[in-house]
Amino acid sequence: MFKRIVVPIILLGCLLINLTGCGGAKDTIKIGLQGPMTGDYAYEGKGFQNALNMLVEQVNAAGGINGKQVELIVEDDAGDPTQSALVAQRLVDAKVVAVIGAYNSTATEPASEIYNEAGILHVTPSSTAVRLTTKGFPRFFRVCFLDDRQGLFAAKFMQEVLGAKNVGILHDNSTYAQGLAEETKHYAETLGLTVGFYDAINPDDQDFTPILTKIGAANLDAVYFTGYHSQAGLLLKQSAELGLTVKWVGGNAANNPVMVEIAGIKNAEGVFVTTEPLPKDLNYPEAQKFVADYKAKYGEEPDSVWTIMAGEAFNVIRIAMEQTKSTDPATLAEYLHTQMKNVNGLTGPILGFDEKGDRLGTIHVAYVIDATGNFVLYEKQPSP
Amino acid sequence: MNLSWLSRFRERPWLWQSGLILFAILLPLPLGDYYRTVAWRTVLYIMLGLSLNLIVGYAGLFQLGHAAFYALGAYTAAILNLQLGIPLFWTFPASILVAALFGFLITRPILHLRGDYLAIVTIAFGEVVRLALVNNIFGITGGANGLSGIARPRLLGLEFRQPIYHYYLVLFFLLITIFAMRRLENSRLGRAWLYVREDETAAEAMGINTTQVKLLAFVLGSGWAGLAGALYAARITVISPDLARFMESVVMFCIVVLGGTGSIPGVFIGALGMVTLPELFRPLKDWRDAWLGVTMVVMMIARPEGLWPSRRVQLELQESEAPHG
């Protein structure tokens, strides 16, 4: 009896719950959020959701956008490309006009094709892979910055803040570090710096004496190392042992306390790291308000820059809708491409978007390691 | 319970078989793209389940790293397409061959292992494949980000872009798979697998080359999973090392075991339970994954032999209880 009757009834019951899950349609502006609510990146997905729930509540309390309430539809892609394609189709079926997401580039890519075909405005807060905007999708934007912008920032930082004329660049042959090193070299030369040293170490190397000797002989003002934190720690330690006085700057792969642990605090003190800032270090009134509201609502500050970036994605969509008095994705995309210039965003000024949909400018900042071995925001930053 | 209407169907298998095929062909027409994608994914997992069923169901060998071969097939198709520009359909045979070759190389030295020992080795192999892909082996797998930008397959000028095309594509391969499986089930090889599963020593005494038939189960099953991987790459166009993660292997294993080990309809039911229902339960949000746990516990208590056990097993049971006159 149990098997034949009870089990099917339970199953049917579950199905019914599922089918009645969709609510009635009102005259609202539907905006989708796609992100990893479960899985390895669940922390970031929850940050997306928190940020957007808060902003949508604020907007609705203030009367909505163009007099219409905003309805946020959240879908979980678990950071996985298959689930991403599925939830993207769910959002298309739910008739959203714009989607914010996904978190990682691997999940954003299949979804972006589906949104492109459905003609939906798609803004990713955090997928930085260069290839995403090379497909000619007219309604795809990102409010984060491409990987190559860090190279520009590092070159500017060394020139403007450190006053360097002759710089060295060192990478570790990994795809990411090599790419960043090449971009930095390109921008450094464009800015008129001399790249007096450009070389690579291998990811397994432990003894850097030969390469450090070359760096010492090259008479450099600063060296930018784009590799990962453990080797950065060893480099700093051995550099101090050899008595080098050159200024070290690390990329965001070095932004890890392990680097200080390996190098020792006295060798790491005064070393710079270029990276995306923590939300609390964003020195703009809009960012400070976001962080304060977030803390008031959820009891903790947002730890990830991508949380505030998700808010920025919503912000950009809201501004476009208010300025064009429209929710038509084509009109919104047109506005973002051509007319949105120098708007104060949550994450600093939004200079605009280029024809591919990439945000202009950069968000990277320089941190310095203080006498206690902590990363603190450096008081001088290059011009934006 | 009177089963006469059931046995009537059994006497005319073409009746319900063609009915099912017709249903599968008509199914996506009234559905939206989301449900078409769900249907696509279900059919793909049925294929994966059937391929694993060869190894676990027929030959009775524990394979808990099956997702590795699925990933190998997907990566083979992707790499050939991205590096050499070979159209996706032409990469399918290579995907099958590469997955089958790895199936051969990996299982040849470990075939003498049985049960849990074999399971441990296959889990380890699955992890080795995943980690090799994450570490960008030979610089062609794209590391943790995986590979993207795989060109959509084309056939006679038709680009496979819409979910419905991909549904029919996997359905086509599924029908071939089922046909092949039915033939295999009743072939000399299929019977040899059955004997090996039931009693390896006796099978050997009967003159069956047990090493060879077990190896064949692994090679065929792995190659088939490779084909499923290539079909996945064709649809999603982005692949990542997550394809080879342990959870994927577990899902495939559960599809075979929950549905009824060694049974083709069982794999269908297993895929519906493990892949389709959790997807349809998406509105339940965080409670969604709880469904899997609850079903498994209920299943193990209510029907440990699976929802639709192999007919051969059923017949054996019936015969032992009430022999025919």
Side-chain angles (χ1 to χ4, degrees), chain B residues 3-325:
Chain B
L3 282 172
S4 64
W5 60 274
L6 239 174
S7 56
R8 206 174 303 149
F9 266 119
R10 282 210 173 126
E11 279 157 28
R12 298 188 192 79
W14 56 268
L15 207 74
W16 60 269
Q17 279 168 4
S18 45
L20 263 182
I21 293 173
L22 196 69
F23 172 73
I25 289 172
L26 296 177
L27 176 72
L29 296 178
L31 298 177
D33 275 350
Y34 167 63
Y35 289 100
R36 284 171 181 176
T37 308
V38 175
W40 164 81
R41 190 154 175 253
T42 308
V43 174
L44 190 74
Y45 273 87
I46 293 173
M47 256 185 84
L48 283 166
L50 288 172
S51 71
L52 184 60
N53 195 30
L54 270 182
I55 303 168
V56 176
Y58 295 166
L61 302 163
F62 273 22
Q63 160 64 301
L64 272 166
H66 203 53
F69 299 101
Y70 175 49
L72 281 170
Y75 269 88
T76 306
I79 290 166
L80 287 178
N81 179 264
L82 292 170
Q83 304 268 336
L84 305 173
I86 299 171
L88 214 59
F89 280 131
W90 293 99
T91 67
F92 284 12
S95 291
I96 298 171
L97 284 177
V98 168
L101 179 70
F102 272 89
F104 174 80
L105 292 177
I106 299 311
T107 46
R108 186 66 196 84
I110 60 167
L111 263 186
H112 59 282
L113 299 175
R114 285 195 65 91
D116 34 11
Y117 296 102
L118 183 62
I120 290 169
V121 176
T122 55
I123 291 172
F125 172 67
E127 277 302 284
V128 167
V129 168
R130 192 181 65 82
L131 290 172
L133 296 175
V134 168
N135 286 316
N136 199 7
I137 194 163
F138 309 128
I140 52 174
T141 68
N145 290 331
L147 295 169
S148 65
I150 301 160
R152 299 229 178 239
R154 288 175 164 280
L155 188 68
L156 306 170
L158 179 80
E159 195 184 24
F160 281 62
R161 183 170 280 280
Q162 302 299 336
I164 193 161
Y165 293 143
H166 283 279
Y167 172 77
Y168 285 126
L169 184 66
V170 288
L171 187 64
F172 170 71
F173 281 106
L174 176 68
L175 291 177
I176 295 178
T177 308
I178 296 171
F179 178 73
M181 293 289 163
R182 307 276 316 203
R183 306 289 296 177
L184 269 174
E185 228 176 27
N186 297 318
S187 70
R188 186 188 175 86
L189 186 58
R191 282 163 198 280
W193 283 331
L194 186 73
Y195 301 145
V196 168
R197 186 182 73 197
E198 294 304 322
D199 190 334
E200 201 171 331
T201 320
E204 201 150 20
M206 296 289 287
I208 293 169
N209 185 342
T210 54
T211 312
Q212 198 182 32
V213 298
K214 277 162 53 176
L215 200 57
L216 261 172
F218 261 112
V219 169
L220 279 173
S222 307
W224 235 299
L227 174 64
L231 286 166
Y232 173 89
R235 166 71 180 84
I236 300 290
T237 69
V238 181
I239 55 174
S240 71
D242 281 351
L243 280 179
R245 66 176 182 257
F246 181 53
M247 198 56 208
E248 287 283 344
S249 296
V250 170
V251 167
M252 293 174 202
F253 195 79
C254 289
I255 286 174
V256 173
V257 175
L258 285 187
T261 312
S263 140
I264 295 174
V267 168
F268 275 68
I269 292 174
L272 283 175
M274 292 299 296
V275 177
T276 321
L277 280 182
E279 183 57 44
L280 296 178
F281 284 176
R282 200 174 268 288
L284 298 181
K285 302 260 150 77
D286 295 343
W287 289 95
R288 194 157 70 96
D289 291 336
W291 148 259
L292 281 184
V294 173
T295 344
M296 279 187 206
V297 173
V298 172
M299 280 287 308
M300 284 305 114
I301 297 168
R303 279 188 82 101
E305 77 273 29
L307 281 169
W308 192 319
S310 153
R311 206 171 138 199
R312 195 167 259 148
V313 175
Q314 251 180 357
L315 283 176
E316 279 163 18
L317 285 172
Q318 279 169 15
E319 273 162 20
S320 63
E321 279 165 17
H324 295 286

Side-chain angles (χ1 to χ4, degrees), chain A residues 51-63:
Chain A
L52 287 179
N53 278 338
M54 184 180 90
L55 291 178
V56 167
E57 249 173 51
Q58 286 175 0
V59 162
N60 283 343

